[in-house]
Amino acid sequence: MTIAETRGSYLSMLREHVCVIVFTKKNGEDRTMHCTLRKDLVPENPTFANQAAVVPPSPVKSIRKVNENIISVWDTELSGWRSACVDSIKSITIKPA
Protein backbone atom coordinates (compact mmCIF):
# COMPACT_ATOMS: atom_id res chain seq x y z
CA MET A 1 0.00 0.00 0.00
CA THR A 2 1.37 3.44 -0.91
CA ILE A 3 1.63 6.36 1.53
CA ALA A 4 -1.28 8.07 -0.28
CA GLU A 5 -3.46 4.95 0.02
CA THR A 6 -2.55 4.51 3.68
CA ARG A 7 -3.23 8.21 4.35
CA GLY A 8 -6.60 7.95 2.59
CA SER A 9 -7.54 4.94 4.68
CA TYR A 10 -6.61 6.75 7.92
CA LEU A 11 -8.52 9.88 6.89
CA SER A 12 -11.64 7.82 6.12
CA MET A 13 -11.54 6.28 9.60
CA LEU A 14 -10.97 9.68 11.23
CA ARG A 15 -13.88 11.32 9.37
CA GLU A 16 -16.28 8.75 10.84
CA HIS A 17 -14.84 7.90 14.26
CA VAL A 18 -12.76 9.03 17.19
CA CYS A 19 -9.57 7.02 16.83
CA VAL A 20 -6.56 6.20 18.95
CA ILE A 21 -3.32 6.71 17.05
CA VAL A 22 0.02 5.49 18.37
CA PHE A 23 2.96 7.06 16.56
CA THR A 24 6.61 7.98 16.99
CA LYS A 25 7.28 11.70 17.33
CA LYS A 26 10.20 13.31 15.49
CA ASN A 27 12.21 13.29 18.75
CA GLY A 28 11.83 9.49 18.96
CA GLU A 29 9.22 9.39 21.73
CA ASP A 30 6.07 7.33 21.26
CA ARG A 31 2.78 9.19 21.66
CA THR A 32 -0.81 8.03 21.95
CA MET A 33 -3.36 10.51 20.63
CA HIS A 34 -7.16 10.39 20.74
CA CYS A 35 -8.30 12.26 17.66
CA THR A 36 -10.90 12.69 14.95
CA LEU A 37 -12.02 14.61 11.88
CA ARG A 38 -15.73 14.18 12.61
CA LYS A 39 -17.46 17.46 11.81
CA ASP A 40 -19.74 17.15 14.85
CA LEU A 41 -16.71 16.97 17.18
CA VAL A 42 -14.38 19.54 15.60
CA PRO A 43 -15.49 23.04 16.65
CA GLU A 44 -16.24 25.56 13.91
CA ASN A 45 -14.02 28.13 15.61
CA PRO A 46 -11.56 26.00 17.56
CA THR A 47 -9.52 27.52 20.36
CA PHE A 48 -6.35 26.22 21.88
CA ALA A 49 -5.26 25.88 25.49
CA ASN A 50 -4.37 29.58 25.70
CA GLN A 51 -7.88 30.43 24.40
CA ALA A 52 -6.48 32.30 21.39
CA ALA A 53 -8.94 32.05 18.53
CA VAL A 54 -7.75 30.39 15.38
CA VAL A 55 -7.55 32.96 12.64
CA PRO A 56 -8.73 31.69 9.25
CA PRO A 57 -6.03 31.77 6.60
CA SER A 58 -5.89 34.65 4.18
CA PRO A 59 -6.93 34.04 0.59
CA VAL A 60 -4.54 31.68 -1.15
CA LYS A 61 -1.90 33.51 -3.17
CA SER A 62 -0.17 30.35 -4.32
CA ILE A 63 -1.13 26.71 -4.27
CA ARG A 64 0.99 24.43 -2.11
CA LYS A 65 1.33 20.77 -2.82
CA VAL A 66 -0.30 18.59 -0.15
CA ASN A 67 2.26 16.62 1.85
CA GLU A 68 0.89 13.09 1.51
CA ASN A 69 2.95 11.94 4.50
CA ILE A 70 1.20 14.27 6.99
CA ILE A 71 -2.25 14.01 8.53
CA SER A 72 -3.74 16.81 10.61
CA VAL A 73 -6.33 15.84 13.21
CA TRP A 74 -8.35 17.31 16.07
CA ASP A 75 -6.97 16.01 19.39
CA THR A 76 -10.07 15.33 21.48
CA GLU A 77 -8.15 15.31 24.77
CA LEU A 78 -6.11 18.49 24.25
CA SER A 79 -8.75 20.30 22.15
CA GLY A 80 -6.38 21.36 19.43
CA TRP A 81 -5.04 20.55 16.00
CA ARG A 82 -2.13 18.12 15.88
CA SER A 83 -0.32 16.37 13.07
CA ALA A 84 1.55 13.13 12.55
CA CYS A 85 3.61 11.61 9.77
CA VAL A 86 1.80 8.71 8.14
CA ASP A 87 4.96 6.61 8.07
CA SER A 88 5.48 7.10 11.84
CA ILE A 89 2.04 5.70 12.78
CA LYS A 90 2.39 2.36 14.54
CA SER A 91 -1.35 1.72 14.95
CA ILE A 92 -4.71 3.36 14.50
CA THR A 93 -7.83 1.93 16.11
CA ILE A 94 -11.39 3.10 16.61
CA LYS A 95 -11.86 4.33 20.17
CA PRO A 96 -14.53 2.31 21.98
CA ALA A 97 -17.63 4.35 22.87
Side-chain angles (χ1 to χ4, degrees):
M1 191 179 283
T2 67
I3 291 284
E5 291 169 332
T6 301
R7 181 177 188 266
S9 175
Y10 291 166
L11 292 174
S12 292
M13 286 178 67
L14 288 158
R15 286 184 189 113
E16 295 183 28
H17 306 281
V18 174
C19 296
V20 179
I21 296 178
V22 178
F23 67 100
T24 303
K25 294 171 41 174
K26 292 216 181 238
N27 67 5
E29 293 177 24
D30 283 347
R31 175 157 191 251
T32 300
M33 180 168 50
H34 298 246
C35 52
T36 191
L37 291 174
R38 281 182 37 188
K39 291 184 182 206
D40 62 320
L41 296 176
V42 176
E44 284 185 40
N45 296 312
T47 57
F48 294 89
N50 66 3
Q51 299 301 307
V54 175
V55 178
S58 61
V60 177
K61 294 180 182 172
S62 64
I63 298 174
R64 288 191 316 186
K65 182 180 176 188
V66 173
N67 185 340
E68 295 292 333
N69 193 39
I70 301 291
I71 58 170
S72 296
V73 295
W74 182 256
D75 187 319
T76 58
E77 292 184 326
L78 299 177
S79 297
W81 289 101
R82 303 290 183 264
S83 62
C85 294
V86 173
D87 60 5
S88 73
I89 295 175
K90 294 181 172 188
S91 67
I92 181 168
T93 56
I94 296 171
K95 183 177 177 180

